[in-house]
Amino acid sequence: MAETKREIERKYEATGDEVRLPDLTRVADVASVVDKGVAELDAVYYDTPDLRLAAHALTLRRRTGGDDAGWHLKFPVATGIRDEIRAPLSPTVPRALAALVRSLVRDTQLAPVVRLLSSRDVRHLLDEDGALLAEVSVDAVRAERLPQADGSPTASWTEIEVELADDADPALLDRVEKRLRKAGLRPSASASKLARALAETGLGRPAEDTRESGKPTAGTHVLDYLRAQRDALVALDPAVRRDLPDSVHQMRVATRRLRSAFRSYGKVLDRTVTDPVGEELKWLAAELGVDRDQEVLTERLQSRIAALPRTLLLGPVRGRLRIWSVARRSGSRRKTIAVLDSKRYLVLLDTLDALLDGPPLRPAARRPVADVVPKAVIRDYDRLAGRIEHALALDPGIPRDLAMHDARKAAKRARYAAEAATPALGGPAKKFAKRMKAVQTVLGDHQDSVVAREALRGLAVQAHLAGESAFTWGLLYGQEAATAAERERELPEVWAKASRPVLRERLMA
């Protein structure tokens, strides 16, 4: 069973041949330094032959020795902060850890690339109550390139590592660093032992950038945007598997942005090639949305209930909502993981890679960004304008609800097109995207009210059939209907701001 540990640490290297730690009891809050002895560590690092994990600052190792022997997979969180996922020792990479790197590795075999032998001299920094504040270690490291052969490069160095204890004040690291710097130590130039080992054994050569240089064209601009969304999709995969907050939503956004860009920039990329990929992205977004949409809907209804006076809560309202929500979400997370483990999903990732490596560019791709990109944004805007006009011309009711839903999707597409254009067009595109987002927000809340009303109607029916009062559900239904009407009244004003001619003129300037 894998477990997660947040690791906050800093690494240092000596400026001379001999490493001497200063008296760390002179650091504020450190009452004593306890020598914990020397541990012999043997760590074998795994990666693909082209070092995909290392390229994304991920490390996967099997380590023996010390008090945390086992498999460790580390994800960067911020500078000096990593999440370490641990699993027990086993002969091969544990399935739980292999799954977390599958979006990068795909079907490629993970194999040993570097072995690090470390003699670790450990000291604990304790406060006056004897509680652990940090662990300081002096590591004498020998790196061996794998597989070993006669003449295989090796490297040796000594580094100092300061790792913050759980719940300790991060400011302690600054105070310790001040003492270490005064003693002639300096922050390590390498982010990790693995990064240094790869560099010093000849494995860490940076990959060559094969993209075209020179003045950006419409094609290079769009492809850069698509690559960023592809990279986000791949990077969010392990976050979804770990059930990190907002990860599913962000992964859906990446899929939608990819699909939207394929459609918005059809003058740049051949849609006969990209449309089938877009359909697969639509499938993935829908599969990821099962859990997320239910979560959002439940939170909306819970907030409605919480705002009601107790005198208006007739019957087991909260209990029925909880049962309804659990029943609808039952197994949804397992289904999400099954989708990420599916062959169809891995084929989609491979297809995206192939498309971006050999893009189906159309003649407009060779033209300057300013000749192509603004026109693509305006086309999406015109599409949205037509749908807004159609929705506002309808009377309230189901046809208008459906028309506003279609307009919401068009607003999202126009917003994404403008966001994609922002790196090249700057402020005008950014402001345009902001206005489109405002329209999308109004239309989105309207659609959420439509979905909520349908759910509330179902809950009222369930309550009635169970002999409970349906009063509260009807009351909430009325509130949602009022919210929808309010959004419909807001839309003309929001749209008037978003459709000002000056915004369009600045975008085309």
Side-chain angles (χ1 to χ4, degrees):
M1 186 71 177
E3 60 174 320
T4 302
K5 181 182 183 301
R6 175 61 56 87
E7 182 183 80
I8 303 176
E9 65 180 18
R10 297 183 186 179
K11 297 179 183 295
Y12 302 88
E13 55 191 40
T15 55
D17 295 333
E18 186 177 358
V19 176
R20 289 186 178 181
L21 291 178
D23 180 5
L24 296 177
T25 60
R26 297 181 63 183
V27 175
D29 296 331
V30 177
S32 61
V33 177
V34 178
D35 191 337
K36 304 298 290 187
V38 178
E40 300 299 329
L41 309 178
D42 187 345
V44 175
Y45 288 78
Y46 285 66
D47 208 331
T48 59
D50 55 356
L51 302 179
R52 294 179 204 171
L53 300 187
H56 290 79
L58 304 181
T59 61
L60 173 63
R61 73 185 179 200
R62 182 185 187 276
R63 189 165 77 180
T64 57
D67 57 5
D68 64 345
W71 286 89
H72 306 150
L73 173 60
K74 298 188 180 187
F75 288 91
V77 176
T79 302
I81 304 176
R82 294 187 292 182
D83 278 346
E84 183 176 271
I85 318 296
R86 297 177 175 179
L89 281 174
S90 61
T92 58
V93 179
R95 291 178 61 184
L97 301 190
L100 291 173
V101 297
R102 185 167 292 127
S103 62
L104 279 173
V105 173
R106 317 282 170 81
D107 294 326
T108 305
Q109 185 73 28
L110 287 166
V113 292
V114 165
R115 182 184 187 189
L116 296 183
L117 301 170
S118 303
S119 183
R120 170 165 288 183
D121 190 357
V122 181
R123 293 164 180 80
H124 283 179
L125 307 187
L126 308 180
D127 66 13
E128 60 183 8
D129 296 323
L132 179 64
L133 297 173
E135 180 177 283
V136 179
S137 62
V138 179
D139 295 345
V141 184
R142 175 181 169 83
E144 300 174 351
R145 185 168 166 175
L146 298 177
Q148 286 183 292
D150 291 341
S152 293
T154 63
S156 299
W157 69 90
T158 299
E159 72 176 35
I160 297 86
E161 186 176 289
V162 183
E163 181 173 350
L164 195 69
D166 295 341
D167 302 321
D169 182 2
L172 175 70
L173 293 178
D174 292 331
R175 298 194 293 270
V176 171
E177 178 167 312
K178 186 176 181 180
R179 292 291 301 160
L180 295 180
R181 282 181 176 271
K182 285 185 177 180
L185 303 176
R186 64 188 180 194
S188 176
S190 297
S192 66
K193 288 184 176 67
L194 175 62
R196 182 165 182 172
L198 291 174
E200 296 195 13
T201 60
L203 286 171
R205 302 185 184 93
E208 294 183 9
D209 191 344
T210 58
R211 284 178 277 182
E212 296 179 10
S213 58
K215 191 173 182 179
T217 62
T220 58
H221 173 81
V222 172
L223 288 173
D224 284 347
Y225 177 79
L226 291 173
R227 289 188 184 100
Q229 302 313 313
R230 184 272 315 274
D231 292 346
L233 183 65
V234 170
L236 285 162
D237 177 296
V240 171
R241 293 176 186 272
R242 295 171 60 196
D243 203 19
L244 297 185
D246 206 38
S247 57
V248 171
H249 171 64
Q250 292 300 326
M251 193 172 186
R252 289 181 79 191
V253 168
T255 64
R256 287 168 171 168
R257 283 175 170 158
L258 280 164
R259 183 167 178 255
S260 180
F262 287 153
R263 300 169 78 180
S264 296
Y265 296 103
K267 298 288 186 180
V268 174
L269 294 170
D270 187 349
R271 287 193 58 177
T272 63
V273 177
T274 62
D275 277 358
V277 184
E279 287 302 306
E280 289 301 283
L281 289 165
K282 181 180 180 180
W283 159 79
L284 178 59
E287 292 291 340
L288 292 172
V290 173
D291 199 6
R292 171 66 180 175
D293 290 345
Q294 181 60 31
E295 179 184 356
V296 171
L297 176 57
T298 299
E299 289 175 354
R300 186 181 182 97
L301 299 183
Q302 285 174 338
S303 66
R304 288 284 192 194
I305 292 172
L308 289 177
R310 289 191 177 186
T311 54
L312 298 181
L313 295 177
L314 304 186
V317 176
R318 289 190 175 90
R320 177 154 297 282
L321 178 60
R322 183 165 54 252
I323 293 170
W324 172 85
S325 178
V326 170
R328 289 171 65 93
R329 292 190 65 185
S330 178
S332 58
R333 172 153 176 78
R334 289 195 299 272
K335 292 177 183 176
T336 297
I337 299 303
V339 168
L340 298 185
D341 285 338
S342 69
K343 184 66 176 178
R344 183 174 181 178
Y345 168 67
L346 295 179
V347 168
L348 170 58
L349 295 181
D350 287 340
T351 302
L352 281 171
D353 288 347
L355 187 148
L356 294 172
D357 289 342
L361 297 175
R362 299 186 65 193
R366 295 191 292 271
R367 294 167 60 188
V369 173
D371 289 352
V372 178
V373 172
K375 292 178 182 178
V377 178
I378 294 303
R379 280 195 299 271
D380 281 344
Y381 165 83
D382 290 341
R383 179 170 171 268
L384 169 61
R387 293 194 179 188
I388 293 284
E389 182 180 355
H390 173 64
L392 293 177
L394 297 173
D395 293 328
I398 293 178
R400 174 180 268 199
D401 290 344
L402 293 173
M404 291 186 71
H405 182 43
D406 286 341
R408 180 188 68 84
K409 291 186 286 188
K412 185 182 296 185
R413 177 167 158 182
R415 171 194 164 192
Y416 288 159
E419 288 176 347
T422 297
L425 305 183
K430 185 176 182 179
K431 188 170 185 179
F432 191 92
K434 184 178 179 180
R435 296 297 188 192
M436 295 302 104
K437 184 178 180 180
V439 175
Q440 178 191 336
T441 297
V442 172
L443 293 168
D445 196 36
H446 181 275
Q447 175 61 18
D448 288 346
S449 77
V450 172
V451 174
R453 276 179 280 160
E454 183 63 25
L456 288 166
R457 182 181 179 278
L459 283 161
V461 170
Q462 291 178 15
H464 175 73
L465 293 176
E468 302 164 6
S469 172
F471 170 82
T472 302
W473 304 115
L475 178 61
L476 296 177
Y477 187 99
Q479 289 182 349
E480 288 292 354
T483 295
E486 180 63 24
R487 297 295 87 78
E488 291 177 23
R489 287 191 294 271
E490 288 178 11
L491 181 59
E493 181 179 352
V494 174
W495 175 242
K497 291 181 180 179
S499 58
R500 289 174 180 170
V502 66
L503 288 176
R504 179 170 180 158
E505 292 168 3
R506 287 176 180 172
L507 193 64
M508 294 297 294

